[in-house]
Amino acid sequence: MASGFGYHGGVSRCFAYWQEFSKCYAQTDVPSQCKAQAEDYLECLHHTKEIARAKAIKAEFIRKAEHQAHEGRKAADILADGVIVGVGLIQRGEAAHSK
């Protein structure tokens, strides 16, 4: 990466970000002023923020899918029990045996 050449010749995909960072770093007396350029360059190299966002989106998708599946099971149980049980005319389980 330090050479600035990509795998197939030409400039690498992150070379423009490296140039921005290098230019900032060379012109400043306080290196912390170039933090934004450094973050952009490192994000281009490693995609850490992109990967973290993709993981968060995937986790939310899975959470919603599990919730919908759980709600679907509830609806299926109600439909399987029948309409009469839903009205409360017939009691199931221990309450029916205790009478």
Side-chain angles (χ1 to χ4, degrees), residues 13 39-40 42-58:
R13 62 187 164 93
E39 286 180 2
D40 289 343
L42 291 174
E43 175 62 23
C44 181
L45 286 177
H46 305 293
H47 304 287
T48 52
K49 293 178 184 176
E50 180 183 357
I51 291 169
R53 184 167 188 255
K55 285 182 179 180
I57 290 170
K58 183 178 179 181

Side-chain angles (χ1 to χ4, degrees), residues 12-48:
S12 66
R13 62 187 164 93
C14 300
F15 186 65
Y17 294 107
W18 170 253
Q19 283 184 320
E20 287 179 26
F21 171 69
S22 180
K23 180 181 172 183
C24 177
Y25 194 78
Q27 293 176 350
T28 188
D29 293 330
V30 182
S32 62
Q33 291 178 343
C34 300
K35 189 172 183 172
Q37 289 87 349
E39 286 180 2
D40 289 343
Y41 176 63
L42 291 174
E43 175 62 23
C44 181
L45 286 177
H46 305 293
H47 304 287
T48 52

Side-chain angles (χ1 to χ4, degrees), residues 5 9 13-14 16 18 23 36 40 43-44 57 61 63 66-68 71 74-75 77 79 81 90 96 99:
F5 292 103
R13 62 187 164 93
C14 300
W18 170 253
K23 180 181 172 183
D40 289 343
E43 175 62 23
C44 181
I57 290 170
F61 177 78
R63 187 190 67 77
E66 287 174 350
H67 178 71
Q68 288 174 349
E71 291 297 320
K74 284 183 184 177
D77 290 343
L79 291 174
D81 290 342
I90 300 175
K99 287 184 178 179

